[in-house]
Amino acid sequence: MSKYIFITGGVVSSVGKGITAASIGTILKSRQITVSAQKLDPYLNVDPGTMSPYQHGEVFVTQDGAETDLDLGNYERFIDVNLTADSNVTSGQIYSAVIAKERRGGFLGGTIQGVPHVATEIKDRFKQLASKSQAEVVIIEVGGTVGDIEGQPFLEAIRQMRNDVGRDNILYIHVTYLPYLTSTQELKTKPTQHSVNELRRIGIQPDIIVCRSDHPISEGIRDKISLFCDVDQQAVIPLPTVSTIYEVPLVLQEEGLGQLVVDKLKLRAKQPDLSRWQELVEHLKTPREPVSIALVGKYVELQDSYFSVREALHHAALYHDRDINLLWVPSEALESGDGDVLLRSAQGIVIPGGFGIRGIEGMIKAATYARENKIPYLGLCLGMHVMVIEFARYALDSTEPNSTEFDASTSYPVIDLLPEQKAVRDKGGTMRLGDYPCQLVPGSRAADAYGQGMVNERHRHRFEFNNQFRDILEKAGMVCSGLSPDGKLVEVCELASHPWMVSCQFHPEFGSRPSRPHPLFRDFIGTAKDTLREGAQPALPLSS
Ligand code: GLN
């Protein structure tokens, strides 16, 4: 039977609860304990798929095609597992399921209530993941902070779990924030005391408190939190801000969190071996020569919108012993006459996924810039549509080619709705989602990168390359280097006469791991690192 670790947040949001949850996974895995993870999102949307990235950051897609919270990306990268739809539960899903059951007559005669019905439905999701994953430990993170109205049913469910599975099989970890007062130069524990009180009021006594802070946490502060919040002194774990998120497992391990969890849950564990993780972090912290990459997107003001893309770039750079100097370029800014200046210092250009017409012409300009100046280009889903539109405008010598997503009446619809999407009316969960196979053309840059003929990658799109234009674009120099096995859907395209201009219909960023960069990102950075920025002079050979 699985054991459960529930992670709640207090004081403020965005202090790294997700990274803490993921890091606990890393630590337990380093002790040969099998782990799975789940994120509970209290909002009423069924999934984040229909939310703007400004509201929610990136939508992470699982192999089985669920549109989920970006924390699942961190779980996958830190624990190195592939999760499924079972790992993201929202209030929207819970209420829909309860109401659907009521309509089917599942509660005939009964009044449906928060307790027990809603709480039971939530607990069933915990148990479902435990039984499907067969993990020894299931880490479950409750989104939001304690005290949020929408979070109440989830907290009630995790409270009930202690009786359901027994005290030795459950652990509550509360992640809080200690604010620093400049005037008195001290960290304050009162907000933590209040949030723990709030938890206790609903019947949850935390076993461990992880204290986030931008300043060092003294023994005195630990004692105080231990006393007021009624946890062991060694169970107050300081987590000061670190320079890379990948360092968090090491900090928590150093503070004894791994042993504490093993002891409290009475787990059979091996000695921790975090040596490879340690090497990774040391490498990350060693100064490396940067590669300047422009990420041209619509939502660059909120960098969380491109979380996995940014991480995948860093993983790839690390492979080449380089750092990433990421230039966040708002695509709309490229639409004005001299927008190109924003790209001049880039050695590579990435156009990530996205929806809607805003900023598209700016992205197309970035693709023109990449093609004409032979700057490496990586297009991800929308980035592929942009590359195809740009190339078609060049090859057909017309400004008309477009995607019907942006211009429904274009005479050159080089990107068009997938046939199976034509009858789709609902917006939620109806795209072409999750893993699909892709056959690579031998000798292409894509096949070279992967080093294999057939790959599976995660998708999230409604539009595709329009095959009517395949011949004409191929004749002009575009190579359709990845196709669905039936040959009908273009999955990857590249330019024959360019050093590295490759785009894919899928999202390779979701598959990248810190010590296993995705092949396309790896080769993109590999080419970009040797690309001279515009105006840069090659070094003169030293005469002997
Ligand atoms: N908007 C495009 C489509 O729906 C691209 C989607 C994406 O980039 N994920 O096909």
Side-chain angles (χ1 to χ4, degrees), residues 38-173:
Q38 189 176 57
K39 173 80 191 287
L40 310 177
D41 279 311
Y43 51 70
L44 288 166
N45 303 59
V46 170
D47 62 44
T50 53
M51 277 189 236
S52 156
Y54 287 131
Q55 296 268 319
H56 192 271
E58 161 186 290
V59 173
F60 186 82
V61 183
T62 55
Q63 284 185 332
D64 64 343
E67 298 174 274
T68 72
D69 185 75
L70 62 76
D71 273 326
L72 268 76
N74 289 321
Y75 305 159
E76 289 207 358
R77 287 183 284 270
F78 277 67
I79 311 174
D80 200 6
V81 283
N82 288 320
L83 301 171
T84 64
D86 292 321
S87 283
N88 198 186
V89 177
T90 67
S91 294
Q93 288 168 21
I94 296 294
Y95 288 117
S96 313
V98 171
I99 290 166
K101 193 168 172 193
E102 185 273 336
R103 293 288 84 184
R104 285 195 306 271
F107 304 106
L108 274 189
T111 306
I112 301 148
Q113 295 179 295
V115 181
H117 304 102
V118 173
T120 301
E121 179 67 33
I122 296 171
K123 291 191 294 181
D124 286 349
R125 303 300 173 106
F126 306 157
K127 294 169 189 169
Q128 192 169 310
L129 177 65
S131 103
K132 281 199 197 165
S133 69
Q134 288 293 308
E136 288 162 87
V137 176
V138 179
I139 299 170
I140 299 177
E141 176 193 348
V142 188
T145 36
V146 167
D148 296 346
I149 291 175
E150 278 110 351
Q152 300 294 330
F154 288 109
L155 294 174
E156 169 59 15
I158 73 171
R159 181 194 70 76
Q160 292 180 12
M161 282 293 280
R162 189 180 49 207
N163 265 345
D164 287 13
V165 299
R167 279 162 204 271
D168 286 346
N169 299 320
I170 200 164
L171 200 63
Y172 298 106
I173 300 183

Side-chain angles (χ1 to χ4, degrees), residues 352-356 380-382 385 405 431 460-463 505 507:
F355 297 82
L380 309 168
C381 203
L382 178 69
H385 298 177
E405 181 180 3
M431 280 186 257
R460 181 175 185 241
H461 65 118
R462 284 187 211 285
F463 293 82
Q505 184 55 80
H507 289 276

Side-chain angles (χ1 to χ4, degrees), residues 264-398:
K264 284 191 186 278
L265 283 179
K266 300 191 170 52
L267 291 164
R268 263 195 310 270
K270 299 251 168 31
Q271 281 305 307
D273 179 10
L274 279 165
S275 50
R276 287 193 59 197
W277 200 270
Q278 185 109 36
E279 276 165 30
L280 172 85
V281 172
E282 269 159 31
H283 196 183
L284 272 169
K285 288 169 83 176
T286 312
R288 285 156 288 137
E289 193 187 328
V291 187
S292 293
I293 301 296
L295 190 149
V296 182
K298 177 177 165 185
Y299 316 104
V300 290
E301 297 87 347
L302 182 72
Q303 298 179 1
D304 273 5
S305 308
Y306 304 112
F307 206 109
S308 295
V309 176
R310 185 186 59 194
E311 293 311 298
L313 288 170
H314 281 288
H315 304 160
L318 196 66
Y319 175 91
H320 295 288
D321 199 22
R322 293 299 188 94
D323 202 354
I324 291 285
N325 173 28
L326 200 47
L327 314 165
W328 299 91
V329 179
S331 48
E332 276 168 303
L334 295 178
E335 286 171 8
S336 66
D338 55 357
D340 273 11
V341 310
L342 294 166
L343 300 174
R344 291 224 173 109
S345 53
Q347 294 166 273
I349 295 173
V350 183
I351 311 255
F355 297 82
I357 191 169
R358 181 166 73 80
I360 290 297
E361 290 302 322
M363 295 177 206
I364 293 173
K365 278 200 165 180
T368 307
Y369 182 88
R371 182 176 54 75
E372 290 178 348
N373 295 289
K374 306 236 180 281
I375 304 291
Y377 174 102
L378 175 60
L380 309 168
C381 203
L382 178 69
M384 175 175 129
H385 298 177
V386 166
M387 175 173 150
V388 172
I389 296 168
E390 195 282 330
F391 189 73
R393 286 184 185 183
Y394 156 75
L396 303 170
D397 194 17
S398 160

Side-chain angles (χ1 to χ4, degrees), residues 378-455:
L378 175 60
L380 309 168
C381 203
L382 178 69
M384 175 175 129
H385 298 177
V386 166
M387 175 173 150
V388 172
I389 296 168
E390 195 282 330
F391 189 73
R393 286 184 185 183
Y394 156 75
L396 303 170
D397 194 17
S398 160
T399 52
E400 260 294 298
N402 216 328
S403 162
T404 51
E405 181 180 3
F406 316 125
D407 177 2
S409 58
T410 172
S411 36
Y412 296 108
V414 289
I415 302 291
D416 199 8
L417 204 57
L418 286 154
E420 68 263 29
Q421 286 285 327
K422 299 223 156 102
V424 172
R425 292 287 165 267
D426 285 356
K427 290 278 183 255
T430 54
M431 280 186 257
R432 180 170 179 258
L433 287 164
D435 260 7
Y436 284 92
C438 162
Q439 180 101 50
L440 299 166
V441 174
S444 63
R445 290 188 181 80
D448 282 357
Y450 281 100
Q452 63 192 92
M454 179 79 98
V455 293

